[in-house]
Amino acid sequence: MAQRITIDPITRIEGHLRIDAEVDGGQVTKAWSSGQMWRGIETILKGRDPRDAWLFTQRICGVCTTVHALASVRAVENALKLEIPLNAQYIRNIVMAIHALQDHIVHFYVLSALDWVDVVSALSADPKKTAALANSLSEWPNNSAKRFAAVQGKVKALVESGQLGPFANGYWGHPAMKLPPEANLMAVSHYLESLDYQRKATQALGIISGKNPHIQNLSVGGVTTALNPDSDSALNMERLYWIKQLIQEVRGFIQQVYLPDVVAVGALYKDWLPYGAGVTNYLAVPDMVLNAKATEFDLPGGTIMNGDLGTVKGITSFNDDYFRDNVVENIAHAWYKGDWSKHPYEEDDVPNYTEFQDDGKYSWIKAPRFQGQPMQVGPLSQMLVGYAQGHKPIIENVNNALSLVSSVAGVTVGPEVLHSTLGRHVARAVRASMLGDLALKHWDLLVDNIGKGDLEIFNKPVFPQGEQQGYGIHEAPRGVLSHWVVIQDGKIKNYQCVVPSTWNAGPRDEKGVAGPYEASLLGNPVADAEKPLEVLRTIHSFDPCIACAVHTVDANGVELSKVKAL
Amino acid sequence: MEDQAGNMELISGLSRRGFLKGCTLAAAALGLSEAMIPKLLEAAESAQRPTVIWLHFQECTGCTESLLRGSHPDIGRLLLDVISLDYHETVMVPSGHQAEKSLHDSVEKNKGKFVLVVEGAIPTADNGNFCKIAGRTAMDILAEVGPKAAAVISLGTCAAFGGIQAADPNPTGAKGVQDLLSGVPIVNIPGCPPNPVTFLGTVLHYLTFKRLPNCDNLGRPLFAYGRRIHDHCERRAHFDEGRFAEEFGDYGHKNGYCLYKVGCKGPETFSNCPAARFNDVDVWPVSVGHGCIGCTEPNFWDSMTPFYERLPHVKIPGTGIIADADSAGKKILGVAAAGAAIHAAVGIGKAKLKGKDKE
């Protein structure tokens, strides 16, 4: 007899998400993903100055802060056919990379690790054995028995205080928790250490961008970070070297702690390798731009269909028609009037909340489709698309991670294991590691260019009369982000964001085809329906960001019904 | 292998030195003498950590992320030593009904004693259906939890004033906490997101003195929002001397001239950004060449846009006479009274609200 479970709220994510699952025989047999909040930011953008759009859209999300900013300025620049100076490209790339470093670290430790790590079990670990385990995985100098013992004492004090705070009512002692106490203690210690390194990343970002979250150094046409080695009111060499040092420290943590931890968790949970693939159509867009025209990149984009790496097709520039022409969104199961599929330039939707209908409408999130197909987006997509295209750094980094998994797990695994819940974590850690290298590469490119005497950062946008359309793409920490703008006589006529968590968290489409979250849960084990830890594992592996996913819509026709007084 | 940092004091995420620095900064910001620092510390480290319940409504989680980036206290110390954060959707371990249990247990146990932090606005249109958690609307949750709190901190411009979703035409009927809740002390800490230093200062003030700090008539603590950005901006001397960046990347921009002509809203914005700075790296938006967007002011999404156009009615001195600039400031505010302590920010937004161009 199937049992229905509803998890609302899904915590340790951004935004308000509800997941429903039918469980039969200890496995998920049907699932629904439902976004529970809508804000109407694109509606608010209509009629406004396109130069302001990035400051608005950035507030779609304070976790993926920077990403909407980048996609937005790129969309308006695309509409105006406006190139930006090379320095601005490099500065944007550094912003992009550093933000991803911070975001990926936070995702694994703060938002996901406690699905796999039992904090209470860490109390019974031997700190010396913990140090031996940690030192077998990496050369990180802080992996000492002393430190692990101190952290253990801290956790003990917390438990004994009786005030568990955010750790109360966790899934401690859950039958699906399988790490040995030493691995748990190592992870708890690294959880605390990760908080420092994610902060260092944001400090580097702050030096470039003025503050974080919500950077404030972009503009349509370039960046506003003035470059001047001879000024204390601009990005000078002192500040550039400060940024470099911080990036090096963060990269060290990623390559010596985060990546080995993910590999260890993956290997110690090897029984989980078959679960969570779901939709195996993958979509990624190119990023880390190498020239002013945005036709060369350090990270590749493209598509893979049906999990077959042989089907790979590239997306190669910021003007790629293959991407532009094949994106639509469907609202058959989303709380908007109608059941249309429309291209983002054409969308004009009306909110229409109707409660949760299993076979009808059940989410604020729309269902994006590429050539009519649901697509999974995120670091895994980018790694697979690059792997399939023969992108050397990706092949090298992915293979290294897989061989490490193989040696810890004691079984040889190949790239096929990446189609899974754990694969998403491994791919994200690999991507983070690569972005640590790339952030430094683009720092070098920027400094070289400054050394040539080029201090240009901005090309002034000019808005002609008439209508222009443009789209901006960005490979955000959670995957493909695209903004679509229609400008009429210098004002925003229409604006749509098709975001990573819309691709992944979207509901069924008009044909009843499930979105990636929904598909990924099918067959997922559930040991205790009262404590559906395993559902959280798979959902968290996507890094849900739901405020992003449910931002859109035109509010024409909303009934402003009576305000309930409190 | 010997630990580089082999004692409790230096464990990453739990640095006491950073926390002391934060308390010193907070004491200075609050206008307290150094003699008060031990009292602040004592209040923050009492055996029974004060309970904080944190609700997320229509928001982007930027305020939470801001706290995650804070360093005094850093988030690890804040959670383990300073407060007991019993409900916070982004960091709490349990989900679903177990998360709900954490909320209800804590509210009942700490009734009248906990601090409620609200992040995000509350949609009121269509019966509040635009934001639901565990099947209940944000309006219902606030109505249940709010009156049981000892005090409410509306963190960020969304919780304080409705924020971005309340921008014209406010499709979801978004409102700030103070518009919906009464009978409980409320303090507004606007900003998009606000500086974590301001949040810490407010929390320490409350823990130390058992009351909220003194506020302006928009409910913002005077210690953080008592002065205009323009009045303590490092580029102010350039304004007074008539030296401006005319375009991003030009000579004036490269050399730190005033950003008023490229859209800075500092002359109408009350905040401590130039003093508190961000991310512990001595920066704020104006210091990296972008104008202030006025994010601590109500309705700034309407009243301060377009962001790259000049504020109207600001008299540019160009003569080096500081008195001219100050009188320009008063004119903007529509206030004749002098003195920062009574800056009377009321009406800044309303008087200037242009609404967006509907053409």
Side-chain angles (χ1 to χ4, degrees), chain A residues 459-471:
Chain A
N459 292 330
K460 190 181 172 73
V462 177
F463 292 88
Q465 290 296 297
E467 184 178 298
Q468 303 91 38
Q469 293 182 338
Y471 75 99

Side-chain angles (χ1 to χ4, degrees), chain A residues 28 45 52 77 126 194 202 261 272 309 347 363 403 471 486 506 534 547 553:
Chain A
V28 176
L45 278 173
D52 288 353
E77 288 156 4
D126 176 346
S194 77
T202 63
D261 278 358
W272 258 78
L309 270 49
E347 287 184 48
S363 178
S403 71
Y471 75 99
V486 182
E534 301 92 332
V553 130

Side-chain angles (χ1 to χ4, degrees), chain A residues 441-502:
Chain A
K441 174 183 172 182
H442 286 256
W443 184 96
D444 285 339
L445 290 170
L446 174 65
V447 168
D448 284 351
N449 207 44
I450 291 171
K452 289 174 191 159
D454 179 1
L455 300 177
E456 294 298 314
I457 54 165
F458 181 71
N459 292 330
K460 190 181 172 73
V462 177
F463 292 88
Q465 290 296 297
E467 184 178 298
Q468 303 91 38
Q469 293 182 338
Y471 75 99
I473 49 180
H474 169 48
E475 185 71 16
R478 288 162 191 78
V480 174
L481 172 64
S482 57
H483 282 206
W484 308 76
V485 65
V486 182
I487 300 167
Q488 176 76 47
D489 300 333
K491 296 263 161 63
I492 294 171
K493 184 181 173 193
N494 200 7
Y495 202 101
Q496 289 289 336
C497 312
V498 183
V499 318
S501 290
T502 315

Side-chain angles (χ1 to χ4, degrees), chain A residues 68 143 179 193 204 260 265 274 329 351 457 463 473 504 534 556:
Chain A
H68 294 284
N143 284 333
L179 291 186
E193 212 172 354
V265 166
E329 294 200 281
I457 54 165
F463 292 88
I473 49 180
N504 285 338
E534 301 92 332
N556 292 334

Side-chain angles (χ1 to χ4, degrees), chain A residues 32-101:
Chain A
W32 296 260
S33 164
S34 170
Q36 291 281 311
M37 182 183 77
W38 178 76
R39 296 193 292 161
I41 289 174
E42 285 106 324
T43 302
I44 290 164
L45 278 173
K46 286 190 180 180
R48 295 186 188 258
D49 188 325
R51 293 174 301 169
D52 288 353
W54 76 270
L55 286 152
F56 281 77
T57 57
Q58 184 174 208
R59 269 73 182 184
I60 286 173
C61 187
V63 175
C64 351
T65 180
T66 76
V67 308
H68 294 284
L70 288 165
S72 180
V73 291
R74 287 173 177 173
V76 178
E77 288 156 4
N78 181 263
L80 298 180
K81 299 182 169 57
L82 179 67
E83 284 180 21
I84 68 166
L86 203 48
N87 286 327
Q89 297 284 30
Y90 294 143
I91 288 173
R92 289 181 183 183
N93 291 338
I94 293 168
V95 163
M96 179 275 195
I98 299 174
H99 173 242
L101 300 183

Side-chain angles (χ1 to χ4, degrees), chain A residues 166-188:
Chain A
F167 306 102
N169 296 315
Y171 303 93
W172 320 128
H174 192 286
M177 288 287 195
K178 290 183 177 164
L179 291 186
E182 283 70 29
N184 284 318
L185 179 58
M186 178 181 80
V188 170

Side-chain angles (χ1 to χ4, degrees), chain A residues 11 14 51 62 144 163 212, chain B residues 3 49 60-61 69 94 102 309:
Chain A
T11 57
E14 194 294 323
R51 293 174 301 169
S144 74
Q163 288 185 291
N212 182 263
Chain B
D3 198 328
R49 287 171 286 133
C60 74
T61 315
R69 290 142 166 76
S102 289
E309 299 296 331

